[in-house]
Each structure stands twice: as structure tokens, then as C-alpha cells.
Amino acid sequence: GDPKRIPHPVEAMGFGVTYLRKLFESIAKDNKLCLRISGVFITLILIIISGLIAYSIERTIFFENIILKFCGVFLLTISLASSIASRSLRNSVLGVINLVPDVKSSNDDLECAREKLAEIVGRDVESLDRNEIFRASAETASENAIDGIFAPIFWIFIGIILWDFSHHLPGPLTLVWIFKASSTIDSMIGYKRGRLKWLGTAGARLDDILTWIPCRLVLITLPFITISWREIPKTIKQALKEGRQDSSPNSGISEAIFAYCAEVRMGGINYYKGVKKIKPIIAKYYPIANINSIKRILNLILRLQFSWILYFILIMKLVNQ
């Protein structure tokens, strides 16, 4: 829900990636080793700068002056809120599916839906029909819930825990901005094509590492708010089994657990820049995605956010007793 007229921290990170990419590509050219080393430097530079800026913002809340302290708390709160893409993800997905409300939707609606969908997915959307638009919306909602919502919340929690030991340690904003920096690098240059196959390796690997634990926590906790207790172990096991078939160590698992909890089939044939890629079918005995199942996924995301926050508050209260 970030105001569009106000610059967003991720935009600044994006400009940084673009500038550094041009700089290092002009030096490395097509040398694979140099491109890999350049990718490491791009990743280090961006996460260090992002971390230092975030750490500086955190320091402002410890000023003695009450006015400066209040301004610091306000700035820190806004900065933390900007790191969680809950409302923007929900609005983006709803903005797509609301343009194709029924079978009788006109071609104009489908064209508009494809245009909006192209803003939130990496696959080719030009020839997607109604069912494929719904499938893409369901998959991007469940996959981006990790990168955009639950991984940031997780690193905010870790930062708060570190502050419980010492306020001089990196706090919630430092950790979440380091994560957002790695996620931005991955989303912009973490592709297996052309020079990016080597240039984006470091950023993509770091993003996989920083997302690994939050993804598994979603796998474990999501079933507790959706299905009966007896079915939870079976659901987690099946989602883990099918999710591991995906080439990504995290996106396949996140899609799988949302597929089983929302009871919707995912996976199939996608095209990326004209290149065909077959993703394994997940939850194949459930129906294909529709408006209702996509809204179920969005509601599950919202419910799980509140559950995580409640769990964390309870754990912190128990620890500090």
C-alpha cells in the first residue's frame, strides 16, 4: 500500500543494481569468471550500502532528544512498513483477476488483465487465456508471498531478537533491507540467460539462502490455520515432496503448500522470453485455479501474517518473563 508518488527504498536498490550492472559489464565483457566476480561485487556493494543506511536510521531512535527520537521512531516505522508488500501484492493480484470475472469476459478485459499480469510475473503473457491468467495469478501470489511478506517479517523478527541482546547490534531494518537488497538483485539479474547466467549467480544464491528458513516456516505453519490437525503431517510431507521437484529451492515449496491448503492445482507449461519451460504439476487432484481459489490464497496469506505476529509476541513474552 505504498503511496506511488513517494520514492520506495526498493526503487533506489533497483537503480543501484542497474548502475552497477552497466559498470561491471563494461569491465568484464563476456569473460565468465570476471562476470561471476562482478556479480559478487554487485551483491556486496548493494547489501553493505543498504545495511549501513538502515543501521543509521535505527540509530536515530536512541537519541536523547525527544523530538529527534520521535522523528527516528516515525522514520523507522515507515521504513519497516515499506519492506512488507502485503497490500501491494494483494491489490496487484486482485487487479488482474477482477478484469476476467466470468467466461463471457471480452477480449479487451483479457488484454488489460495480461498487461497487469505482466507487471508481477516473469513469464510471457501475450497468449495466455482465461485459465492460464488465473493459474499465473495463483502461482505468483503463493510464490511472492514468501519474498514479499514472510521472509521480510522473519528478518524483522530476527532483528528484534538481536536487539533483545544489545541495541548496538544490527536491528530489524538492517536485516530486512539486506534481504530486500538480495531479493532485488535476484529479481533483476538472477536469470540463467546471456551474461546474467554468471553475473546474477551470487545475488540469486544469497536470496535462496535468506529465503530458505522463512519458506520452510510457511510450509510448517500454514496448514495449522487451514486444515484439520490429523491431515497436517500428510499435507506438509506431500507439499515438500512435490515442491522439491521445482528447480528453485524455495518457490516450488511455497507454491505447493499454498496449492494444498487452498485446494488448487498449479504447474504446467510456461514460456519465458519465448523459451518453453515445463513446471511440475502440483496438487494434481484439485481443480484448476479460479477467482475463488485465488482469493482463498490471498486470505490465507493475510491470516498467516497475523498468526506469525501473534506467535512472535507470545514467544517474546515467554522468553522475557
Side-chain angles (χ1 to χ4, degrees), residues 83 90 101 188 212 304 318:
S83 303
R90 184 181 184 88
M188 293 184 69
W212 198 90
L304 190 61
L318 291 173

Side-chain angles (χ1 to χ4, degrees), residues 6 60-61 84 110 158 171 216 245 257 269 278 298 303:
I6 299 177
T60 61
I61 73 169
I84 304 173
L110 287 180
I158 297 299
R216 271 68 186 173
Q245 297 175 16
I257 194 60
I269 298 174
I278 302 176
L298 295 176
R303 288 170 57 191

Side-chain angles (χ1 to χ4, degrees), residues 227-266:
I227 59 179
S228 66
W229 289 65
R230 293 180 180 178
E231 295 294 321
I232 289 175
K234 178 182 176 182
T235 301
I236 293 175
K237 182 179 179 180
Q238 191 63 28
L240 185 60
K241 177 183 177 182
E242 295 186 15
R244 281 176 172 170
Q245 297 175 16
D246 194 281
S247 58
S248 168
N250 297 312
S251 62
I253 290 176
S254 64
E255 286 183 15
I257 194 60
F258 276 102
Y260 275 99
C261 290
E263 299 183 349
V264 54
R265 186 164 76 230
M266 297 187 191

Side-chain angles (χ1 to χ4, degrees), residues 51-279:
L52 288 175
I53 293 173
Y55 188 78
S56 299
I57 293 174
E58 289 175 346
R59 294 298 92 204
T60 61
I61 73 169
F62 300 109
F63 287 150
E64 295 295 332
N65 185 287
I66 190 66
I67 296 176
L68 293 177
K69 187 181 184 72
F70 175 81
C71 292
V73 170
F74 177 78
L75 183 59
L76 179 61
T77 303
I78 295 298
S79 300
L80 286 171
S82 72
S83 303
I84 304 173
S86 177
R87 187 174 175 184
S88 56
L89 175 60
R90 184 181 184 88
N91 287 348
S92 297
V93 174
L94 289 176
V96 173
I97 64 175
N98 286 339
L99 291 172
V100 280
D102 53 48
V103 180
K104 297 180 181 180
S105 296
S106 66
N107 289 330
D108 289 339
D109 283 339
L110 287 180
E111 282 302 317
C112 290
R114 292 186 190 112
E115 289 177 9
K116 285 188 173 291
L117 183 64
E119 297 175 3
I120 56 174
V121 300
R123 71 190 71 182
D124 300 341
V125 301
E126 294 80 8
S127 59
L128 297 186
D129 60 17
R130 177 177 178 274
N131 290 335
E132 286 299 301
I133 289 173
F134 285 150
R135 177 169 74 87
S137 299
E139 290 174 356
T140 196
S142 57
E143 180 180 346
N144 287 328
I146 306 298
D147 285 337
I149 301 170
F150 294 106
I153 290 176
F154 171 81
W155 288 110
I156 288 172
F157 287 167
I158 297 299
I160 293 170
I161 291 171
L162 289 179
W163 267 1
D164 218 32
F165 292 99
S166 172
H167 288 165
H168 296 289
L169 292 173
L173 188 63
T174 301
L175 296 189
V176 76
W177 273 19
I178 287 174
F179 168 76
K180 296 300 286 189
S182 73
S183 180
T184 303
I185 295 169
D186 180 47
S187 65
M188 293 184 69
I189 63 174
Y191 295 94
K192 296 180 180 179
R193 62 170 185 265
R195 290 177 175 176
L196 300 184
K197 188 174 182 180
W198 300 279
L199 189 67
T201 301
R205 293 292 177 270
L206 179 60
D207 183 65
D208 287 341
I209 292 169
L210 296 180
T211 311
W212 198 90
I213 295 177
C215 181
R216 271 68 186 173
L217 287 176
V218 171
L219 171 73
I220 295 170
T221 56
L222 184 61
F224 281 89
I225 64 170
T226 56
I227 59 179
S228 66
W229 289 65
R230 293 180 180 178
E231 295 294 321
I232 289 175
K234 178 182 176 182
T235 301
I236 293 175
K237 182 179 179 180
Q238 191 63 28
L240 185 60
K241 177 183 177 182
E242 295 186 15
R244 281 176 172 170
Q245 297 175 16
D246 194 281
S247 58
S248 168
N250 297 312
S251 62
I253 290 176
S254 64
E255 286 183 15
I257 194 60
F258 276 102
Y260 275 99
C261 290
E263 299 183 349
V264 54
R265 186 164 76 230
M266 297 187 191
I269 298 174
N270 298 333
Y271 287 89
Y272 299 88
K273 303 293 183 182
V275 179
K276 181 179 180 180
K277 182 178 180 180
I278 302 176
K279 297 193 70 174

